[in-house]
Amino acid sequence: MNFLRKPWLLAAAASMAGFSALLSFPSHALTAEQAFAMAAAEDAEQRAAAINQAVLAPDAQSDGGKLAAYLTALANDEVKTAAGKAYVVSGDAATDPTTGEAAKLPADAEEVVNNNYMRSVIDTAQAALALGSSDVQARRSAAEKLAAEPDAERLPVIEKALAAEKDEQVIALLSRAKAASLLGSDDAKQRLQAVEQLAQQKTPDTQLLLNQRLSEESDPAVQKAIKAALSSIGESLAWGDRLGAIFSGISLGSVLLLAALGLAITYGLMGVINMAHGELIMIGAYATYVVQMLFQRFVPEAAFGWYLVVAIPIAFMASALVGAVLERGVIRFLYGRPLETLLATFGISLVLQQTVRTIFGAQNVGVENPAWMSGGITLLPNLTLPYNRIAIIVFAFAVLAGVAFMIAKTRLGLFVRGVTQNRSMASCVGVNTARTDTYAFALGSGIAGLAGCALSQIGNVGPDLGQNYIVDSFLVVVLGGVGQLAGTVYAALGLGVLSKLLEGWTGAVLAKIAVLLFIVIFIQKRPQGIFALKGRSAEA
């Protein structure tokens, strides 16, 4: 065993000799000798041994004990020593750590300086003490720390905590910490037993730990067991990686779907190349930010989580209003001239970006997730589905259902379809085509605002937010088939999943290039997209 490469083993060896006598220390008592040894022993290994001995006292794990307070003072460099005694110094006041009473600090007191090794020892010792906490989150954090930094000397503390623990997550972490500590044993049988236990915990941390041990292991039987365990863990984690890539692809696809739905109406049904669509997404995001700020200022904190519910219709209305003004002021004069709409809306996008910079500043602003969107569902050790991503997927399909219902079942949807297919005939039967155009463009713009509201929950909001999605939105609409909602859904989800799967093999940049080449080749072979228009509208 190479002790020079593992300082904690030196500390463990140094402390084992006096361990039996130290078991008689009362938990709440911190003797002057202990306090001084923990702070000013001759070398780091002896100090570490003294800290380990104090932590291993039978009842040392008590919330708020003197030992915990003293360790905190050591970690914060608030301890000085003089004449064989230790003092906790805060400002100009000194305290005796053994009694908690005020003390006079000698003039020749020397400050205790901790190196990185000692800080690691103190940090792990604090984690060991926290195993006795009544707070389950504190115990989980402590168990994670002990599992990440195994120490054979703390096996008695871990076993004691395991015997009393009820929380399954803490039990799993402590079991891993125990097995990881035994993995450094001199006894090959104990190492083999530890490998078998760790093989049952198929986590990335366990995989890393076994890989590190494999490079140091000399026993052939243990080496074989480690390799078998790594193979089993690797197969299990591979499924987590695959499912994670698929979920990430669906998540990205839902974002693209939200961004492209509005464009499917303004471009697919109306033939307007709206380069300001990204800025309409940005307006929806900033509307969400404004609602958040109003809730933080004027609404009780307990109701803050409802801000997103209020922000959804406001983001829709804000973008829809800007879209209606844009259609009535510019677009209505350019129908039938798509290249001119491209140039005009590109100029409008620059105006909108600068307006937002003037009002909100050029820096990104942060939008907080409500409490109910924080956290996630852990399905596998290396697969956690964030609540905010799940919410966006559900929201995207809810918006899709609403748009499909409106287009297929409402009077406005009938007018939009009629004007799109035959404007002259629709006008002849009494449809106000100009008003229908405004409503349709406002609807597409409002859906872009909903996309901005959703995007605010997964990233920062800034003036350039929409520029990240405008090209992808056009690609989705063209690939799916102009004017086809079903095609938009297939294209968005397909591109999202394909991008994420390729990223795992080639990286983000090459994946983007590959997706673009795929779309170019696909459009060359099938210019009408996945779903082609049928009937009279296709012949027009």
Side-chain angles (χ1 to χ4, degrees):
M1 183 68 66
N2 190 348
F3 286 86
L4 295 178
R5 294 178 60 188
K6 296 183 177 295
W8 56 271
L9 289 177
L10 284 172
S15 60
M16 285 299 290
F19 174 71
S20 58
L22 290 165
L23 290 178
S24 61
F25 284 167
S27 67
H28 61 280
L30 181 65
T31 67
E33 293 78 8
Q34 271 186 298
F36 182 76
M38 292 166 66
E42 292 183 2
D43 55 38
E45 283 72 24
Q46 291 181 2
R47 288 178 58 195
I51 292 173
N52 282 342
Q53 291 169 350
V55 170
L56 287 170
D59 300 321
Q61 296 165 325
S62 57
D63 293 340
K66 292 180 181 178
L67 178 56
Y70 186 57
L71 286 173
T72 300
L74 279 173
N76 295 334
D77 297 326
E78 295 177 345
V79 176
K80 293 186 178 182
T81 59
K85 291 191 64 176
Y87 302 86
V88 175
V89 180
S90 179
D92 296 330
T95 305
D96 186 340
T98 63
T99 62
E101 298 178 355
K104 184 178 180 181
L105 184 67
D108 60 347
E110 297 181 357
E111 185 176 353
V112 175
V113 179
N114 294 309
N115 56 24
N116 290 337
Y117 167 60
M118 284 308 306
R119 291 189 183 280
S120 176
V121 170
I122 295 170
D123 194 23
T124 308
Q126 289 176 312
L129 283 180
L131 290 177
S133 172
S134 59
D135 182 2
V136 66
Q137 293 298 334
R139 298 201 306 276
R140 287 177 182 175
S141 178
E144 287 177 359
K145 172 63 69 175
L146 291 176
E149 299 181 14
D151 188 340
E153 178 61 15
R154 298 206 171 90
L155 279 172
V157 173
I158 294 173
E159 290 173 347
K160 179 180 177 182
L162 269 172
E165 186 57 59
K166 303 298 183 183
D167 183 78
E168 292 184 1
Q169 185 174 344
V170 178
I171 291 174
L173 288 168
L174 288 175
S175 298
R176 191 173 81 204
K178 178 181 178 181
S181 299
L182 289 173
L183 201 61
S185 171
D186 291 331
D187 187 349
K189 291 183 179 180
Q190 286 190 336
R191 297 200 302 275
L192 192 60
Q193 181 184 3
V195 171
E196 292 173 353
Q197 293 176 0
L198 290 172
Q200 304 303 316
Q201 301 189 26
K202 304 181 186 302
T203 67
D205 291 336
T206 303
Q207 186 182 45
L208 177 62
L209 187 64
L210 289 175
N211 272 318
Q212 291 174 342
R213 182 61 206 176
L214 182 61
S215 63
E216 302 172 359
E217 184 56 54
S218 57
D219 187 276
V222 180
Q223 284 183 345
K224 182 178 179 181
I226 292 177
K227 291 178 180 178
L230 286 172
S231 176
S232 174
I233 294 173
E235 291 177 2
S236 177
L237 295 180
W239 276 107
D241 292 336
R242 296 187 192 106
L243 294 175
I246 294 173
F247 175 79
S248 297
I250 295 174
S251 176
L252 175 60
S254 66
V255 171
L256 293 177
L257 176 60
L258 278 173
L261 267 179
L263 201 61
I265 295 175
T266 58
Y267 175 60
L269 295 180
M270 302 178 68
V272 175
I273 302 178
N274 182 15
M275 295 302 294
H277 185 76
E279 280 57 51
L280 295 171
I281 294 175
M282 172 197 67
I283 289 172
Y286 271 101
T288 305
Y289 169 71
V290 170
V291 173
Q292 173 199 260
M293 297 300 294
L294 292 175
F295 263 68
Q296 288 176 337
R297 182 170 299 182
F298 299 110
V299 177
E301 184 177 354
F304 176 75
W306 291 96
Y307 91 85
L308 191 58
V309 178
V310 177
I312 290 173
I314 291 179
F316 178 88
M317 293 303 298
S319 294
L321 180 61
V322 173
V325 172
L326 176 61
E327 195 278 336
R328 297 300 290 176
V330 179
I331 301 300
R332 63 179 299 191
F333 304 109
L334 302 175
Y335 285 122
R337 292 179 285 177
L339 293 180
E340 293 184 24
T341 62
L342 184 152
L343 293 174
T345 54
F346 177 72
I348 291 170
S349 72
L350 298 179
V351 172
L352 291 176
Q353 286 184 43
Q354 190 57 45
T355 302
V356 167
R357 288 191 180 94
T358 302
I359 297 173
F360 296 98
Q363 300 298 320
N364 291 345
V365 297
V367 178
E368 297 181 22
N369 288 139
W372 52 272
M373 285 182 66
S374 301
I377 301 174
T378 301
L379 298 183
L380 295 172
N382 62 330
L383 177 60
T384 298
L385 309 184
Y387 288 134
N388 59 346
R389 292 283 183 173
I390 295 174
I392 288 175
I393 293 173
V394 174
F395 180 66
F397 282 93
V399 173
L400 173 65
V403 171
F405 176 82
M406 191 222 65
I407 294 295
K409 301 295 183 181
T410 66
R411 186 179 179 86
L412 174 60
L414 176 63
F415 287 173
V416 169
R417 287 183 284 122
V419 171
T420 300
Q421 293 179 15
N422 194 322
R423 177 178 293 271
S424 299
M425 183 58 70
S427 180
C428 288
V429 297
V431 176
N432 188 330
T433 57
R435 182 183 301 169
T436 301
D437 289 337
T438 302
Y439 287 160
F441 199 90
L443 174 64
S445 302
I447 295 172
L450 294 179
C453 181
L455 289 172
S456 69
Q457 301 301 303
I458 57 175
N460 290 325
V461 176
D464 300 324
L465 171 66
Q467 297 300 307
N468 299 325
Y469 296 94
I470 182 64
V471 174
D472 289 337
S473 299
F474 274 105
L475 291 177
V476 167
V477 173
V478 172
L479 180 64
V482 176
Q484 299 294 311
L485 289 182
T488 302
V489 176
Y490 282 101
L493 295 180
L495 290 181
V497 173
L498 180 62
S499 296
K500 290 301 179 181
L501 290 177
L502 288 177
E503 282 181 13
W505 296 333
T506 64
V509 176
L510 290 178
K512 195 80 171 177
I513 296 173
V515 169
L516 182 59
L517 289 175
F518 165 77
I519 294 173
V520 170
I521 296 172
F522 185 89
I523 296 300
Q524 286 289 325
K525 298 296 183 181
R526 189 178 174 84
Q528 68 271 34
I530 297 175
F531 290 91
L533 287 173
K534 297 179 180 180
R536 294 177 182 175
S537 58
E539 299 170 0

